[in-house]
Amino acid sequence: MDSIKNISLPKQLDFFVKYNQDTLMKDMHKFKLDTLPGTKYEYNGNAMTILILLLERIYHQPYELLVTNYLKNHLGLYDTRTKIPVNQLSRFIQGYKDASRPVQWYDLTNKKTNEINTNFFYPGGPSMNSTMADMLKYVIANVEETNPAIRLSHKETYHQTDGTGVGLGWMIGNDDGKRFVYHSGRTGIGFSTLCIAYPEDKMGIMILVNDNLSQDNISILSDKIKVALME
């Protein structure tokens, strides 16, 4: 997978059109562990891809339906999905490398809606599309922690030597003894993002900016917003 990251995004998408669930299952027989489970942290989206495979085969439904139905029924998110319908593409915000350079949009899912056991790989990990209104609902849900699945996702599964940790899809930090969860990312199609929830402070922040802003600068911006909100 490391060699795939060295080629352009369009070529990655072409590759993953051909690489499907059956290919992954076949390749997994060749995997060799080089360390004991739970002893070393390395960011990798393949585990989430395997989880999607398991969910589809256990529930006999496409991941798109599983995730959108859950988000609608449990969190009230009606505008969040892996696949953007053609009739909704006009709502998609143009991404930018910087203020003057728009970035071409690519469908990162490579998956036909409502089909199971088809191509399902996503560059960098599973891809979701949402609106800012839905994301704010999601932030609130992660701040309140009333949903059992959300509480479970905040549980630390790996503790790092610097005092931070990792949950189920979340990074876990500590600010003056108060726990917070966050995740950031760069899509490659013109956006850099940060989603952060402070359950003990009853506060959450969602940031969406151009792709040229570094993750470090987004974190600084988030810290300044937090300070301003607490004044």
Side-chain angles (χ1 to χ4, degrees):
M1 290 298 179
D2 289 337
S3 60
I4 298 299
K5 297 176 182 178
N6 295 326
I7 63 177
S8 67
L9 181 56
K11 290 183 178 179
Q12 289 184 45
L13 295 176
D14 288 339
F15 173 81
F16 287 123
V17 165
K18 304 176 181 67
Y19 197 98
N20 58 26
Q21 292 189 6
D22 291 333
T23 312
L24 173 64
M25 296 295 287
K26 181 179 179 180
D27 284 348
M28 285 182 66
H29 288 285
K30 304 174 185 178
F31 289 174
K32 292 183 180 179
L33 296 178
D34 60 0
T35 186
L36 293 175
T39 61
K40 178 182 177 182
Y41 169 75
E42 184 173 354
Y43 190 94
N44 191 299
N46 291 339
M48 298 300 292
T49 299
I50 295 171
L51 177 59
I52 291 174
L53 182 155
L54 294 173
L55 289 171
E56 290 197 340
R57 297 196 175 190
I58 290 172
Y59 291 100
H60 304 288
Q61 292 185 48
Y63 176 67
E64 172 74 14
L65 285 181
L66 288 170
V67 69
T68 54
N69 286 339
Y70 186 90
L71 292 175
K72 290 175 184 178
N73 296 330
H74 293 270
L75 301 180
L77 275 60
Y78 292 89
D79 255 336
T80 303
R81 54 181 65 89
T82 63
K83 186 83 171 179
I84 301 179
V86 174
N87 64 353
Q88 295 288 316
L89 286 176
S90 61
R91 301 176 62 202
F92 193 82
I93 299 174
Q94 173 66 57
Y96 286 85
K97 185 68 178 175
D98 52 40
S100 61
R101 289 189 293 169
V103 178
Q104 181 178 348
W105 177 81
Y106 292 98
D107 180 359
L108 299 182
T109 63
N110 273 326
K111 183 175 174 61
K112 296 179 180 179
T113 303
N114 298 346
E115 288 188 6
I116 191 170
N117 198 26
T118 58
N119 302 315
F120 73 134
F121 273 85
Y122 316 94
S127 175
M128 295 293 289
N129 301 281
S130 188
T131 62
M132 187 57 78
D134 261 15
M135 286 307 302
L136 290 177
K137 291 180 184 178
Y138 185 65
V139 171
I140 291 171
N142 279 278
V143 168
E144 293 178 341
E145 293 186 311
T146 56
N147 181 282
I150 285 180
R151 285 200 304 272
L152 178 62
S153 72
H154 292 179
K155 185 177 180 180
E156 187 177 85
T157 59
Y158 181 80
H159 190 76
Q160 304 192 90
T161 55
D162 61 359
T164 61
V166 180
L168 298 177
W170 289 102
M171 307 300 179
I172 302 174
N174 190 292
D175 184 11
D176 292 330
K178 295 180 180 180
R179 173 181 54 90
F180 64 92
V181 298
Y182 67 98
H183 210 306
S184 59
R186 302 179 72 177
T187 62
I189 55 174
F191 301 100
S192 284
T193 59
L194 172 64
C195 180
I196 185 166
Y198 299 90
E200 295 180 49
D201 288 322
K202 301 302 178 184
M203 181 187 302
I205 299 170
M206 180 67 210
I207 298 176
L208 178 67
V209 295
N210 291 347
D211 193 35
N212 64 321
L213 191 63
S214 71
Q215 293 296 317
D216 287 341
N217 284 334
I218 296 177
S219 295
I220 293 172
L221 174 60
S222 174
D223 290 341
K224 290 182 177 180
I225 293 173
K226 180 175 184 287
V227 170
L229 290 174
M230 296 187 71
E231 289 181 348

